[in-house]
Amino acid sequence: MTFKYVAGALLAVMAVANSGLAQAQDASGSKYDYHDAFGPNFYTKNGNEYRAATGEPGPKYWQNRADYQLTAKLNDKTNEITGTEVLTYTNNSPQKLGFIWMHLDQNLFKQDSRGSAIVPPTGSRNGGRGQVFDAGHKIKSVKLVGSETELKYIINDTRMQVFLPKDVAAEGGQIKLRIEFSYISPDYGSDRTGILNTKNGKVFTVAQWYPRVCVFDDVMGWNVLPYTGPAEFYLEYGDFDLSITAPANHIVVASGELLNPAEVYTAEQQKRWAQAAQSDQTVIIRSAKEVTNPASRPAGKTELTWKFRIKNARDASWASSASFIIDAAKMNLPSGKKSIAISAYPEESDGNDAWGRSTEYVKKSVEYNSKKWYEYPYPAATTVAGIVGGMEYPGIVFCGYKAKKGSLWGVNDHEFGHTWFPMIVGSNERVYGWMDEGFNTFINTLTTEDFNNGEYANKRPMDMQRVGEFATKPDLETVLSAPANMKEKNIGMLLYFKPGFGLTMLREQVLGKERFDLAFRTYVERWAFKHPTPDDFFRTMENVGGESLQWFWRGWFINNWRLDVAVNSVKNVDVDPSKGVYITITNMEKMAMPVPLEIKYKSGKTEMVRLPVEIWERNVSFVYKHPSTEEVVQVTYDPEKSMPDFNPDNNVWKK
């Protein structure tokens, strides 16, 4: 382009500006800066051989592996769990490792733990609710398999560093550890594990019960954040073999497939299991009337050992009780693979009629998400009624025993939605809690709309202006804050609702359902059983969706910006309504979004116009020329309340 041409263009722009019809660059009172919203250099790192610029794993992506053989014995009188763990750890990284780090989550409940120290006087969901007992993991021994030599280890709060006699080689080296441990279960363990007392016996919901190896990855190296309560887990994938010994009058449910049903169920119950495996309707395995009948358990035993297996999982949990009613139904997966939905609950839950539908809820939730995003990978999906209000583990979830119909659908749907985030897509919950809770909250909206034609769905359209009012309050932290950096009162908004609302807006207002669903499904497929970061998600959505979304990530996720668009004026072209109108709008706050406008004419007719987000790329105020042919009497910004505009007072211009 020659200087002569540039100079001519500059003079032309100046002439238009002087006409008063150009887009204003400095609207009075506006906080908006398009250099911030649409600035370059959103990604601070280029793609590499581990994580590609397209958002997918690179050609040399790696992650380590942890396979577990676990035994446990439950003493239901003392609440003690005694166990043995054989950990096979595979180092696929390009670095040799001289030690490994492990989580000892039960140490949170010690009176002198770091987590206990930060619980405020007003209390917290996290911690043991002030219970004083002999808490924490007791490590009896740590040895190499095949050796009687004790390995050196250091326990620091909820973490244990195990020093190895020889480095684990890079790119495929393995080590096997044998760890013997025990602990006393808390009555209420941070709403994730605990004991419910019922008239027919205790319900043990058992989680975070064995030493779990920390993740070693290409982002942080060892991920060794202490477990102080607010955040959840980041774990390696592997296969789990469980062997759980409990009193003979107990029924045990756990992650994965039961391997020895003939040893732990009666002949009649085994027939019912076979029926349930072929039935779309719920089949009772043990009824409420049978719970107190000794004939509902195998005779002649004081204790029984239950064996389970789950493959390619990141954790395993279980529950045990003499009080369990059990029912089940088959789940229909897209590939035709077999899986079964199971519910275990005490008589106290059966009476409110909600838990009688629990298996139906689990079945429909899992079937929908399997078809929509990625097939459910486990042979069973078990939900347990207990003291835990709602917590997810691979193949098994714990839900509040008092839950009513609608709330039980919600908690079952949410906890099993976690199968996709983070059980399949294994993001780092301790740093990026929104990547599991927020994504799951979003997919819950779709399953709820689908279930029984919206039996529990909100029949009214979502008022995103109202959402914008409370989801972008100035005193909130950002979505990308780590859970430990948020006020506990803000966690529900910032980890669950705000990112969930954000994905709904992205799907319905920015990309459209078809493009969004393809990109989101691709993200799940790319990162199934792997460890994505926020950049991997952002890049995938942009590359597959075919759209630069950096303005969106900046406004809703990275910053706590607000949206406020004002309709300033409407003027006829050449003072003639038949020649069209100039509509001036101003972005008063820092967030950018597309602009839906409703134009109402004197005749009563209305017309919708949608201006793209790009009008804000270089403008604070924008003048839109609308080709109307009759007098305009009203212009309304966002009449359907689909945008998070927190201040609707300036959304309407009237003649």
Side-chain angles (χ1 to χ4, degrees):
M1 183 181 293
T2 66
F3 175 77
K4 180 179 179 181
Y5 182 86
V6 172
L10 179 59
L11 290 171
V13 169
M14 292 173 64
V16 173
N18 288 335
S19 72
L21 297 179
Q23 277 56 267
Q25 295 300 302
D26 186 13
S28 175
S30 173
K31 300 177 183 178
Y32 184 67
D33 186 337
Y34 47 82
H35 296 104
D36 288 344
F38 287 91
N41 304 319
F42 175 80
Y43 296 109
T44 57
K45 293 183 179 179
N46 296 326
N48 56 44
E49 58 191 354
Y50 302 124
R51 296 172 189 268
T54 56
E56 58 196 309
K60 291 189 177 181
Y61 174 83
W62 58 268
Q63 67 188 49
N64 291 350
R65 181 179 176 89
D67 297 293
Y68 295 88
Q69 291 178 298
L70 299 168
T71 68
K73 185 171 183 177
L74 171 65
N75 185 326
D76 66 345
K77 303 295 190 295
T78 64
N79 302 338
E80 184 177 33
I81 294 164
T82 306
T84 301
E85 166 184 332
V86 174
L87 165 67
T88 302
Y89 185 71
T90 305
N91 177 24
N92 293 316
S93 82
Q95 298 169 253
K96 61 183 181 181
L97 301 175
F99 56 82
I100 64 173
W101 280 97
M102 305 190 78
H103 298 293
L104 299 180
D105 297 299
Q106 290 297 321
N107 287 357
L108 170 68
F109 307 117
K110 289 186 173 183
Q111 295 300 301
D112 61 351
S113 74
R114 292 164 76 167
S116 296
I118 65 174
V119 173
T122 53
S124 169
R125 175 190 180 191
N126 306 296
R129 282 188 178 169
Q131 181 186 359
V132 178
F133 68 110
D134 185 16
H137 272 111
K138 310 294 189 299
I139 303 299
K140 181 179 179 182
S141 68
V142 180
K143 301 176 181 178
L144 291 177
V145 170
S147 170
E148 290 303 313
T149 303
E150 289 281 345
L151 297 183
K152 179 183 177 182
Y153 60 87
I154 297 174
I155 295 177
N156 182 282
D157 202 60
T158 57
R159 300 157 301 170
M160 177 169 68
Q161 188 177 22
V162 179
F163 298 92
L164 306 175
K166 181 180 178 181
D167 290 346
V168 185
E171 299 180 344
Q174 272 192 351
I175 193 167
K176 284 191 175 185
L177 300 182
R178 179 182 177 88
I179 303 172
E180 296 182 43
F181 64 92
S182 66
Y183 73 94
I184 305 295
S185 173
D187 290 340
Y188 177 84
S190 195
D191 204 23
R192 288 169 168 85
T193 186
I195 305 167
L196 173 70
N197 290 300
T198 78
K199 65 180 182 180
N200 293 321
K202 300 175 182 176
V203 174
F204 291 85
T205 43
V206 183
Q208 294 137 270
W209 57 284
Y210 61 96
R212 304 186 293 180
V213 71
C214 298
V215 171
F216 183 80
D217 62 20
D218 64 298
V219 179
M220 294 289 293
W222 283 109
N223 288 258
V224 291
L225 288 174
Y227 178 44
T228 56
E232 293 184 5
F233 320 116
Y234 184 39
L235 301 166
E236 299 286 18
Y237 289 93
D239 296 342
F240 289 76
D241 285 290
L242 309 178
S243 182
I244 300 163
T245 301
N249 66 333
H250 278 223
I251 288 179
V252 176
V253 291
S255 298
E257 179 183 8
L258 176 64
L259 302 178
N260 61 335
E263 298 174 14
V264 294
Y265 280 112
T266 67
E268 178 59 31
Q269 288 165 353
Q270 292 174 59
K271 291 179 183 177
R272 295 173 185 175
W273 277 113
Q275 181 185 352
Q278 302 299 323
S279 174
D280 284 313
Q281 304 302 315
T282 299
V283 174
I284 302 294
I285 309 300
R286 183 166 80 154
S287 69
K289 292 180 179 180
E290 293 172 316
V291 166
T292 55
N293 184 350
S296 71
R297 304 300 303 120
K301 302 281 188 179
T302 58
E303 60 183 27
L304 293 169
T305 297
W306 302 67
K307 297 179 181 180
F308 298 86
R309 177 177 297 147
I310 188 168
K311 294 184 177 181
N312 209 16
R314 31 168 267 164
D315 198 2
S317 296
W318 51 282
S320 182
S321 182
S323 70
F324 277 154
I325 300 163
I326 304 285
D327 62 44
K330 75 168 181 176
M331 295 192 294
N332 301 300
L333 302 182
S335 71
K337 288 184 179 178
K338 294 181 179 180
S339 190
I340 191 167
I342 303 167
S343 295
Y345 48 96
E347 188 175 338
E348 285 83 346
S349 298
D350 187 45
N352 64 31
D353 194 39
W355 278 90
R357 295 187 66 187
S358 172
T359 291
E360 174 196 358
Y361 296 158
V362 174
K363 169 183 167 65
K364 293 299 184 182
S365 175
V366 170
E367 288 177 348
Y368 179 90
N369 286 320
S370 293
K371 185 177 179 180
K372 184 73 175 176
W373 308 118
Y374 192 95
E375 185 167 282
Y376 184 77
Y378 305 126
T382 302
T383 182
V384 181
I387 198 169
V388 177
M391 190 60 206
E392 74 281 358
Y393 301 95
I396 189 169
V397 304
F398 304 152
C399 302
Y401 77 102
K402 290 183 178 180
K404 305 300 182 184
K405 286 184 181 179
S407 63
L408 183 59
W409 157 260
V411 72
N412 266 336
D413 181 45
H414 182 79
E415 303 311 336
F416 270 111
H418 277 303
T419 299
W420 286 266
F421 311 100
M423 305 305 168
I424 293 174
V425 182
S427 56
N428 187 345
E429 297 173 85
R430 290 197 172 176
V431 180
Y432 310 118
W434 60 276
M435 292 183 72
D436 77 294
E437 296 294 359
F439 290 9
N440 188 24
T441 299
F442 161 70
I443 67 173
N444 295 157
T445 64
L446 303 182
T447 47
T448 301
E449 288 174 5
D450 178 76
F451 178 70
N452 271 6
N453 296 315
E455 179 179 349
Y456 300 122
N458 186 351
K459 305 303 182 183
R460 295 181 296 177
M462 178 63 69
D463 183 346
M464 288 302 297
Q465 291 179 9
R466 177 71 176 136
V467 169
E469 182 182 349
F470 59 79
T472 62
K473 291 190 299 183
D475 61 344
L476 286 174
E477 300 93 343
T478 67
V479 169
L480 261 66
S481 303
N485 297 134
M486 297 176 182
K487 294 287 187 183
E488 189 170 339
K489 66 179 182 179
N490 295 339
I491 284 176
M493 172 56 69
L494 295 174
L495 296 190
Y496 295 71
F497 298 113
K498 187 169 181 177
F501 290 139
L503 294 187
T504 296
M505 283 194 296
L506 191 61
R507 183 175 190 256
E508 296 181 355
Q509 307 303 329
V510 180
L511 288 178
K513 294 179 181 179
E514 184 176 14
R515 280 200 296 163
F516 177 94
D517 288 359
L518 174 61
F520 200 64
R521 189 180 303 113
T522 300
Y523 168 70
V524 176
E525 292 170 350
R526 284 177 172 179
W527 291 97
F529 310 105
K530 297 182 177 69
H531 296 314
T533 66
D535 270 10
D536 299 318
F537 171 68
F538 294 151
R539 290 176 185 269
T540 294
M541 295 303 293
E542 291 186 3
N543 277 264
V544 181
E547 196 87 26
S548 174
L549 299 169
Q550 294 165 30
W551 56 271
F552 185 78
W553 312 133
R554 279 195 180 103
W556 196 256
F557 287 85
I558 294 175
N559 297 291
N560 184 38
W561 288 349
R562 310 201 86 173
L563 180 68
D564 179 17
V565 175
V567 183
N568 302 115
S569 65
V570 177
K571 296 180 179 180
N572 294 325
V573 176
D574 295 335
V575 201
D576 185 348
S578 67
K579 292 184 178 182
V581 290
Y582 294 112
I583 302 171
T584 302
I585 56 176
T586 300
N587 195 336
M588 301 300 296
E589 283 280 349
K590 298 178 74 67
M591 186 187 296
M593 286 293 286
V595 177
L597 294 174
E598 181 187 71
I599 299 163
K600 185 176 181 180
Y601 300 103
K602 188 174 182 179
S603 65
K605 183 180 71 173
T606 61
E607 184 177 359
M608 281 297 300
V609 173
R610 186 179 178 87
L611 303 179
V613 71
E614 285 79 11
I615 67 170
W616 304 123
E617 276 191 306
R618 58 180 65 86
N619 303 295
V620 175
S621 287
F622 185 80
V623 179
Y624 163 62
K625 183 180 179 181
H626 181 66
S628 58
T629 58
E630 61 174 296
E631 185 175 0
V632 173
V633 297
Q634 181 172 309
V635 174
T636 304
Y637 165 73
D638 191 26
E640 295 178 346
K641 301 182 178 181
S642 60
M643 298 294 171
D645 185 300
F646 82 100
N647 176 27
D649 292 345
N650 54 15
N651 287 6
V652 181
W653 173 91
K654 290 184 179 181
K655 184 175 176 60

